[in-house]
Amino acid sequence: MIFSFDEMRGMLVGVLLWCIPFGLFVISLIALAMGKLPKLGIRSRLSAAVVLLTSILAGASLILLVISNVFVIQAGNTGATALEKIAWYGKLTGQMPMQSDAFKVEGKYATYYVTKDNEEKVVVMEEMFPRVEAQLDRFLPPVTSGEKPEIELHQSESTLNLLQMEPEMSGVYNVLTGKINLNANQLGWEELVIHEYTHYRVHQFQLQEVGEHRSIPHWLEEGFAQMMMGTLPLGPFDHYKEFTLQDATSKIANMNNPMQDVYTYGQVLSLEISKEASKEQFQAWLLTEDNAVIEQEIRDLYAIPETVLTHQFLFEKYEATLAKDPGYFDRLLKVTADGWEDEWDSYKKDMYFPMYKEYLPILQNVVIVELEWDKGEQILNEWIQYDPILSQEEIQQEQAYLVAGRGELEEAISLMEVALNKQEHFERSEKMNYYLSIYKLLLEDPFHPEALSKLEERTIYSSGTQKWLQQIQDESSSQ
């Protein structure tokens, strides 16, 4: 109540809280004088003495709570007015937004605190969260129905200073308040949202399973969150191989040194063990605070020889997996549209999931060259699922290519124009405008000289472009 600046209701709540120990104190004094109060369950002076002691302890606890809060407010923000100090404390404890101009937006997947400058990002996150949830559900059980995080989007890192984060950090999930704070005014802010939301999901899982937050090893806590961002460390990793799991159980790595960054270290390990372990095993590690227990279970899972260090073994496995990737891309030269599902299943089995979003567009191109639009749409759906930050504009662009491929030029033009209205990426906009101009010219005349000239200069469907154009022209001639 106080944090909402509702002094009257806050005062009434305070009076009510004080009435409880005071009432118990009065009842215990009456019981001591009378010897007992059987109607209230006090059947002896000893029982009355216990109630008296309980009331005194409860009252003392309230007094200590008030004193400690006042001390934090006074010591933490000297030189401010009483109202400013209360506001500062409310922000620090998550009871109020940290930005004075922030307002609340209730979403389906989160409660947002935003400003006018970043309000539009709520729509992006609401579109992104179902796909993020789908990826997290591969490793964690769904959150309890009705549970969702509070997320405050900051315009700059200056308003994050109250949280006393390390200078390199642009976001944080607060276990005590359950709130996510992050700087949304930067490149890659979507990945930052996924990182902090993963922390939220892990701790919700812990509360669901064991009723408390667990302090799991730092490399696993941060590594899993990094992994879910969908990025992929490419090395070199020689320095990391000198960094044991025990070294990475707490925040001892120098974050300023890119060669010994516990986040990247944990990401590599998390990518590898989450691929090898069962869902149940991985969940068990997310509940285990003892690093030695996790390490032994990893060694048992892989049957690592006694002479080989755990982290070195995992890094070498990771490097060996990355080395397979070029071979899969070479194989795409021989893959046909009919064989795409087998090739995709093989890739998913062998490779790490952040690699999927780079592989799927190329696999899609393989089937589109053969003008297999339904299969192209299936691959696009897989791509959307495994790339949570793929924007609606990019999705609409890809859908427009497929729709135009089926000969529905008018609908493709409509989709692409909607996408272009929101598209900010210059290179992508230039490409979309180029294809859009061709679709419009062909809609006007399938034999339009300018459209044919442009398709000679730059194809749309690679080697399948000429066959696609022939189909458009044949359909027009038959009408």
Side-chain angles (χ1 to χ4, degrees):
M1 302 303 175
I2 294 173
F3 297 137
S4 301
F5 299 116
D6 191 337
E7 292 89 350
M8 182 57 68
R9 291 176 65 189
M11 182 184 71
L12 291 174
V13 171
V15 170
L16 181 61
L17 286 173
W18 278 104
C19 284
I20 296 171
F22 183 73
L24 289 172
F25 180 75
V26 172
I27 290 170
S28 62
L29 288 179
I30 294 172
L32 281 171
M34 297 181 63
K36 57 183 178 179
L37 282 175
K39 288 185 178 181
L40 296 178
I42 302 175
R43 306 186 184 283
S44 67
R45 280 190 168 85
L46 178 60
S47 298
V50 171
V51 175
L52 177 65
L53 180 61
T54 301
S55 67
I56 293 172
L57 289 174
S61 298
L62 284 173
I63 292 171
L64 287 173
L65 180 62
V66 171
I67 292 173
S68 61
N69 284 342
V70 169
F71 174 77
V72 171
I73 293 172
Q74 291 286 4
N77 202 12
T78 57
T81 66
L83 203 59
E84 288 171 339
K85 289 177 180 179
I86 291 173
W88 171 85
Y89 187 62
K91 293 174 182 179
L92 185 64
T93 55
Q95 304 296 323
M96 293 172 57
M98 295 178 68
Q99 300 164 103
S100 58
D101 56 344
F103 55 91
K104 182 178 178 180
V105 176
E106 199 65 57
K108 181 178 179 180
Y109 299 98
T111 298
Y112 306 94
Y113 294 92
V114 296
T115 64
K116 287 294 183 183
D117 291 333
N118 55 33
E119 183 181 7
E120 77 283 352
K121 289 182 167 65
V122 170
V123 175
V124 177
M125 287 187 287
E126 287 288 295
E127 292 170 347
M128 186 173 73
F129 268 130
R131 287 179 277 160
V132 176
E133 292 280 12
Q135 292 307 310
L136 282 165
D137 288 348
R138 295 171 55 220
F139 304 99
L140 298 168
V143 293
T144 305
S145 178
E147 286 288 342
K148 59 183 181 180
E150 291 187 337
I151 302 175
E152 183 169 352
L153 300 183
H154 295 251
Q155 299 175 62
S156 69
E157 294 180 9
S158 61
T159 50
L160 290 171
N161 289 341
L162 268 178
L163 297 173
Q164 299 178 343
M165 299 187 306
E166 295 179 42
E168 301 84 0
M169 298 173 68
S170 298
V172 65
Y173 166 67
N174 191 319
V175 175
L176 298 178
T177 64
K179 189 173 181 179
I180 294 170
N181 284 276
L182 57 92
N183 176 12
N185 190 24
Q186 60 179 327
L187 291 174
W189 69 271
E190 300 98 331
E191 294 170 347
L192 187 58
V193 170
I194 297 173
H195 180 105
E196 301 305 338
Y197 183 71
T198 301
H199 286 312
Y200 165 80
R201 280 290 303 270
V202 167
H203 285 274
Q204 285 298 310
F205 163 65
Q206 292 171 349
L207 291 174
Q208 288 172 219
E209 293 295 312
V210 295
E212 64 179 4
H213 297 289
R214 291 285 174 86
S215 297
I216 61 176
H218 190 57
W219 64 265
L220 180 57
E221 174 84 50
E222 295 299 340
F224 181 48
Q226 287 289 108
M227 175 182 106
M228 295 311 302
M229 287 168 56
T231 56
L232 192 76
L234 298 176
F237 301 113
D238 291 344
H239 286 73
Y240 288 103
K241 294 175 184 177
E242 302 170 7
F243 197 36
T244 69
L245 268 68
Q246 187 58 44
D247 293 333
T249 54
S250 59
K251 209 179 278 187
I252 64 168
N254 180 5
M255 291 179 63
N256 290 317
N257 182 354
M259 303 306 294
Q260 285 196 336
D261 172 15
V262 74
Y263 288 72
T264 301
Y265 179 96
Q267 183 180 4
V268 169
L269 267 57
S270 296
L271 281 164
E272 175 55 39
I273 64 176
S274 64
K275 184 167 81 76
E276 189 73 17
S278 66
K279 183 176 181 178
E280 293 72 22
Q281 177 67 82
F282 192 72
Q283 288 179 4
W285 290 333
L286 294 175
L287 297 172
T288 305
E289 295 182 322
D290 192 334
N291 183 73
V293 170
I294 296 175
E295 182 167 7
Q296 186 56 54
E297 290 178 355
I298 291 172
R299 295 186 69 85
D300 294 341
L301 175 67
Y302 287 93
I304 300 175
E306 291 184 7
T307 55
V308 179
L309 295 174
T310 309
H311 64 286
Q312 291 181 350
F313 178 89
L314 294 175
F315 269 96
E316 287 168 5
K317 283 277 291 182
Y318 181 82
E319 289 173 320
T321 299
L322 292 188
K324 295 179 186 178
D325 194 43
Y328 271 99
F329 282 86
D330 291 341
R331 281 164 52 173
L332 286 176
L333 298 173
K334 301 177 182 178
V335 173
T336 63
D338 289 335
W340 81 267
E341 287 180 293
D342 290 338
E343 191 68 13
W344 171 225
D345 288 340
S346 177
Y347 192 85
K348 281 193 292 185
K349 182 180 178 182
D350 281 355
M351 312 307 286
Y352 304 117
F353 84 87
M355 305 167 81
Y356 299 170
K357 62 185 180 184
E358 305 295 334
Y359 177 79
L360 284 165
I362 301 174
L363 182 61
Q364 184 192 42
N365 191 56
V366 168
V367 304
I368 284 178
V369 165
E370 298 183 35
L371 308 188
E372 293 282 356
W373 310 114
D374 290 344
K375 291 172 182 175
E377 187 173 6
Q378 286 178 278
I379 296 173
L380 175 59
N381 290 335
E382 293 283 316
W383 179 10
I384 293 169
Q385 177 187 347
Y386 285 104
D387 189 357
I389 65 174
L390 189 68
S391 70
Q392 285 299 307
E393 295 75 45
E394 291 171 293
I395 293 170
Q396 287 172 329
Q397 173 186 323
E398 295 299 325
Q399 290 170 336
Y401 292 157
L402 296 173
V403 170
R406 293 187 174 104
E408 300 166 13
L409 294 178
E410 197 167 348
E411 184 181 345
I413 290 168
S414 177
L415 277 171
M416 198 159 276
E417 285 179 335
V418 170
L420 272 167
N421 286 336
K422 299 179 181 178
Q423 185 60 257
E424 297 177 356
H425 194 288
F426 174 76
E427 286 185 16
R428 200 173 292 127
S429 297
E430 188 274 333
K431 179 181 176 183
M432 289 171 68
N433 274 308
Y434 188 82
Y435 290 170
L436 178 61
S437 66
I438 293 174
Y439 294 151
K440 285 182 174 180
L441 291 169
L442 291 177
L443 181 63
E444 178 186 334
D445 176 9
F447 297 89
H448 199 294
E450 187 180 349
L452 301 183
S453 175
K454 285 189 172 188
L455 286 174
E456 284 287 332
E457 182 183 335
R458 185 194 300 182
T459 63
I460 298 179
Y461 304 109
S462 298
S463 60
T465 300
Q466 194 57 43
K467 184 179 179 181
W468 165 76
L469 177 62
Q470 188 66 53
Q471 289 178 351
I472 296 286
Q473 293 171 339
D474 290 346
E475 185 176 341
S476 173
S477 300
S478 65
Q479 291 178 352

